[in-house]
Amino acid sequence: SACSSEESAAGSSFEPATPGVLTVATAFLPAPGFWEGRSADAGGFEAGLALALAKHLGLDRVKVVQVPFASLAAGKLGGADIALSQLTPTEEREKVVDFSSQYLSAPPAILALRTVDASDVHGLQELSWVTSRVSTLTPFVQERIRPKSPPLVVEDRTAALTVLRGGGAEALMLDLPVAEGLAHSDPDRFHVLGQLDADEGLAAALPQGSHNVEVVDSAIHSLTADGT
């Protein structure tokens, strides 16, 4: 059928760094809800997406490599074919990586300590915040929340979560699915206070100029369309 020949044509045009292998870079292992362990087989949304992409592209297996988030955002994928690491496309990042279309809607949300509550923006302004230098969500804190005390600025999400977990701050802005995964994995410590209205989403990143962007995009559309 036209459909199956189209799929095999798409599969054969993917050029993996290692024959038969989809090499996937990600920063945070584990990342609750996204990567439940250090391999794709351990479960999680992006782990499952990696396995589904490999199958769709006619590859035998998935190899996961851990690369710092700041490196991924700067276009350094550590030799991987793609990065699946809760990445939000931005104009700045698009100068150094090529993004697929979005695979998950991810509006900004507030992950807070379980002991903390706020019902409106005034309540949020009273909280102590931690922000990450490499997060696209930091401007939302500065421009939409405008906390009364300057947020504590750290390098990345791992550092920010360490601060929040230790009580050094009360709130952290994250993509909603990321915040939900963390709250679900540690409900005694964290909860999601709410979300902001913004049309943000997560996408796969590929090395700039990669010949695989179109075929990965096509695969993601296909996996979305059939409900995978």
Side-chain angles (χ1 to χ4, degrees):
S1 72
C3 182
S4 62
S5 64
E6 193 176 277
E7 279 180 11
S8 63
S12 65
S13 65
F14 186 84
E15 300 168 14
T18 304
V21 179
L22 181 65
T23 306
V24 180
T26 196
F28 309 111
L29 291 172
F34 288 86
W35 295 90
E36 295 298 342
R38 302 194 73 81
S39 77
D41 298 321
F45 185 88
E46 287 176 341
L49 177 57
L51 292 171
L53 280 173
K55 184 179 176 188
H56 190 90
L57 297 168
L59 303 171
D60 303 324
R61 64 185 183 91
V62 173
K63 178 187 175 188
V64 180
V65 293
Q66 190 167 12
V67 177
F69 191 86
S71 297
L72 297 179
K76 297 167 188 154
L77 271 54
D81 298 308
I82 66 170
L84 296 173
S85 193
Q86 305 107 67
L87 280 156
T88 304
T90 65
E91 279 184 32
E92 197 61 30
R93 289 175 178 175
E94 280 170 352
K95 292 173 185 171
V96 290
V97 294
D98 289 339
F99 283 102
S100 71
S101 49
Q102 295 179 4
Y103 54 74
L104 192 63
S105 174
I110 298 119
L111 183 72
L113 293 177
R114 171 57 73 185
T115 51
V116 167
D117 206 8
S119 55
D120 56 24
V121 74
H122 299 295
L124 294 174
Q125 287 171 346
E126 299 290 343
L127 301 180
S128 60
W129 287 78
V130 60
T131 60
S132 154
R133 194 182 62 76
V134 295
S135 172
T136 57
L137 297 175
T138 297
F140 283 94
V141 178
Q142 295 163 338
E143 294 158 22
R144 299 271 293 269
I145 306 295
R146 298 196 293 277
K148 292 195 172 169
S149 304
L152 177 64
V153 181
V154 295
E155 178 62 20
D156 62 12
R157 186 204 305 169
T158 303
L161 281 169
T162 300
V163 169
L164 191 65
R165 199 171 270 122
E170 297 170 310
L172 168 63
M173 190 82 75
L174 293 168
D175 298 309
L176 178 61
V178 176
E180 286 179 330
L182 287 159
H184 182 75
S185 71
D186 198 352
D188 294 335
R189 194 180 306 263
F190 298 134
H191 67 143
V192 178
L193 266 185
Q195 69 184 75
L196 302 186
D197 178 32
D199 185 24
E200 300 275 301
L202 307 183
L206 291 91
Q208 196 166 43
S210 167
H211 298 301
N212 295 325
V213 176
E214 206 170 304
V215 64
V216 167
D217 221 35
S218 167
I220 288 173
H221 281 299
S222 190
L223 294 169
T224 304
D226 70 13
T228 303

